[in-house]
Amino acid sequence: MKDYWKEEEASSKKINKKKIIIGISIGLIIILITTVIIVYQTNKQVRNWIDKNILRKEVMQDKVTTIEMKEDQHSNIFAFNKYIGVLNKNQFEIYGNTGNKEKTLEIQISNPIFNSESRYLAIAEKKGKKFYIITDKDISWEATTEGNIAQIHVNKNGYVAVVITDTSYKTVVAMYNPEGKEIFKTYLSSTRTADVAISNDDKYLAVAEVDTSGTIIQSNIKVISIEKASNDPTNSIEHTYKGEQDKLITNIKYQDKNKLICMYTDSIHIIENDQDTILINSENKKTIFQSIELTNHAIEIEEKSTGLFTAESIVNIINTENRGIKEYTADAVEKDISTYGNMIALNLGTEIEFINTSGWLVKRYIANQEITNIVLSDSIAGIIYRDSIEIINL
């Protein structure tokens, strides 16, 4: 008679051995992956090797998709959403990330200024009267102004603010809804507008203004209730924030939760819950660039000497939600930067390092010549040369 107990015990032992081997294998794999991640994070040489040879983050100029252009063609180029737009002789050609032309729009503008957010692109005639709003690849609406356009701004929901000069007022700011209807105008009689911003929830218009009429520069930020202004523009100011004397404001941007980020020539402030506090102070630093044109982040780039004739760039990326700081080091001094959404492009001369707001390299582009102009969105970049545009998918 068979001994079933012994057979079950032997079978159980075999199964247990298999489980042990599988468990050990999984444990070794986890340890290996953890070790690689730690080494990748802490060892720059290893990280560069993995980025280049395994993750394929390094791309050469002769390996990327190209949009060909005529050398004598004077074009205005802009990146928006997932497209590259080329405006020449009133024709706005839209290219996808494969370099194929996807659409051509008739745009009666010769000297454009651009602004984009999410699906929306605003194009205006600088010192002219005409502007267009494009949604995805189509013209949503267009309009003309009474004065000359100095700036245009569109938010992620399609609300538009146009800064107008050369009227009976020093500056006029006109506000439009996503359907192209003018909601209101606000008038500045003695100050010029440095920048405007519309909150992500469409409730507020912020206007940064500079008064240079006196011996000391005075920068102020007015926050206007869009709902109140649509009924009574003269009684719509919610708050006025007065900057320190002799501090020149250059840029403002609304981020999530109605945080208003304000960039001065030597500092970056955050206005939140009616409090104006310093986020970045660049005094007594060798700051070469700073930017607030990011999603819930701001950056400051410092030049740091590494030898008699060498230097590197330290990119400090500040999270405006929790004030945490990520640091990225580039092995050369930046020539220029471009920022959009969660992407930062560092121009190092013949190389561009694309990093994200988490402080990690996304892509490194290596050229055969000096790079002078970049256009950038969250998912695509264009490297502009005399006769071509090199497309980098991010």
Side-chain angles (χ1 to χ4, degrees):
M1 187 173 179
K2 291 183 179 180
D3 193 338
Y4 291 104
W5 291 107
K6 286 185 178 181
E7 285 184 5
E8 286 183 12
E9 187 178 343
S11 176
S12 176
K13 285 181 179 179
K14 288 180 182 179
I15 294 171
N16 288 340
K17 283 181 181 179
K18 287 181 181 179
K19 286 183 177 179
I20 290 169
I21 291 169
I22 292 170
I24 290 172
S25 299
I26 292 171
L28 289 173
I29 292 169
I30 292 170
I31 291 169
L32 180 62
I33 292 171
T34 304
T35 303
V36 170
I37 291 172
I38 292 171
V39 173
Y40 180 84
Q41 292 176 336
T42 57
N43 190 309
K44 190 172 183 179
Q45 288 182 330
V46 172
R47 183 164 64 248
N48 287 339
W49 187 90
I50 292 174
D51 284 343
K52 180 180 178 180
N53 297 289
I54 298 177
L55 300 179
R56 304 293 181 184
K57 291 183 178 181
E58 189 171 289
V59 293
M60 310 300 290
Q61 181 177 349
D62 56 358
K63 300 294 183 182
V64 299
T65 303
T66 301
I67 302 170
E68 301 293 340
M69 296 191 301
K70 295 178 181 178
E71 283 197 36
D72 58 347
Q73 181 176 315
H74 179 67
S75 300
N76 295 278
I77 300 155
F78 194 76
F80 66 102
N81 199 0
K82 53 187 177 180
Y83 307 109
I84 300 287
V86 180
L87 179 62
N88 180 257
K89 295 180 180 179
N90 298 331
Q91 298 294 304
F92 188 62
E93 298 174 339
I94 300 173
Y95 295 84
N97 61 5
T98 59
N100 294 322
K101 189 192 298 183
E102 299 193 4
K103 198 151 193 178
T104 300
L105 303 175
E106 184 77 18
I107 302 288
Q108 297 294 325
I109 285 176
S110 57
N111 185 24
I113 49 177
F114 298 95
N115 186 260
S116 72
E117 191 68 46
S118 186
R119 301 166 52 227
Y120 299 96
L121 171 66
I123 308 177
E125 183 77 56
K126 188 176 182 181
K127 296 183 179 179
K129 303 180 185 304
K130 189 89 173 173
F131 69 94
Y132 295 79
I133 304 301
I134 295 170
T135 307
D136 295 322
K137 295 182 289 184
D138 296 302
I139 297 172
S140 299
W141 54 277
E142 59 187 86
T144 56
T145 62
E146 293 177 1
N148 294 325
I149 298 170
Q151 296 176 49
I152 191 165
H153 173 80
V154 61
N155 83 341
K156 68 176 187 177
N157 300 315
Y159 281 79
V160 177
V162 182
V163 179
I164 304 163
T165 58
D166 301 325
T167 68
S168 55
Y169 291 87
K170 186 93 171 179
T171 308
V172 178
V173 181
M175 186 82 190
Y176 297 82
N177 69 12
E179 288 71 45
K181 180 184 177 183
E182 184 181 299
I183 307 173
F184 67 88
K185 286 179 179 171
T186 186
Y187 301 90
L188 308 176
S189 57
S190 60
T191 58
R192 68 174 182 85
T193 301
D195 200 12
V196 294
I198 305 168
S199 63
N200 292 337
D201 62 3
D202 314 321
K203 291 183 177 180
Y204 302 105
L205 168 69
V207 180
E209 55 181 357
V210 179
D211 187 350
T212 57
S213 60
T215 56
I216 296 174
I217 293 173
Q218 181 60 58
S219 299
N220 298 316
I221 301 134
K222 290 180 179 175
V223 176
I224 297 168
S225 165
I226 292 174
E227 184 181 3
K228 289 180 181 178
S230 61
N231 298 312
D232 184 6
T234 57
N235 294 298
S236 59
I237 296 174
E238 294 281 289
H239 301 282
T240 299
Y241 300 94
K242 192 173 182 180
E244 295 178 27
Q245 288 187 341
D246 243 10
K247 284 180 69 73
L248 179 62
I249 193 165
T250 59
N251 195 10
I252 59 174
K253 182 176 177 62
Y254 268 111
Q255 296 186 355
D256 288 345
K257 300 177 182 178
N258 286 334
K259 298 187 303 294
L260 183 61
I261 315 301
C262 310
M263 189 168 82
Y264 295 83
T265 52
D266 59 357
S267 63
I268 294 176
H269 292 223
I270 180 169
I271 296 175
E272 188 177 18
N273 300 322
D274 299 336
Q275 297 296 315
D276 183 347
T277 57
I278 296 175
L279 188 67
I280 299 172
N281 189 347
S282 300
E283 291 181 0
N284 303 318
K285 294 181 185 177
K286 199 169 184 180
T287 300
I288 50 177
F289 294 106
Q290 55 184 21
S291 175
I292 60 175
E293 293 297 331
L294 291 160
T295 301
N296 298 324
H297 287 81
I299 65 166
E300 174 191 51
I301 302 179
E302 297 180 64
E303 181 183 331
K304 182 181 178 183
S305 176
T306 55
L308 190 59
F309 300 108
T310 58
E312 61 186 13
S313 300
I314 309 299
V315 184
N316 294 309
I317 307 166
I318 298 90
N319 186 315
T320 56
E321 291 275 351
N322 56 30
R323 313 298 169 89
I325 300 175
K326 300 287 186 181
E327 187 179 286
Y328 181 87
T329 302
D331 293 330
V333 177
E334 315 299 341
K335 308 286 185 185
D336 197 10
I337 66 164
S338 299
T339 57
Y340 186 92
N342 289 303
M343 200 60 57
I344 303 160
L346 308 173
N347 184 351
L348 303 174
T350 57
E351 292 184 16
I352 298 175
E353 292 184 347
F354 296 94
I355 65 174
N356 58 27
T357 49
S358 297
W360 294 109
L361 179 72
V362 175
K363 195 111 12 158
R364 179 182 287 112
Y365 169 82
I366 300 177
N368 303 320
Q369 63 203 91
E370 194 78 10
I371 301 162
T372 58
N373 200 359
I374 308 167
V375 291
L376 180 71
S377 78
D378 242 345
S379 61
I380 195 170
I383 316 301
I384 302 169
Y385 298 106
R386 283 187 312 167
D387 58 353
S388 65
I389 305 167
E390 310 286 351
I391 296 177
I392 312 295
N393 291 305
L394 302 171

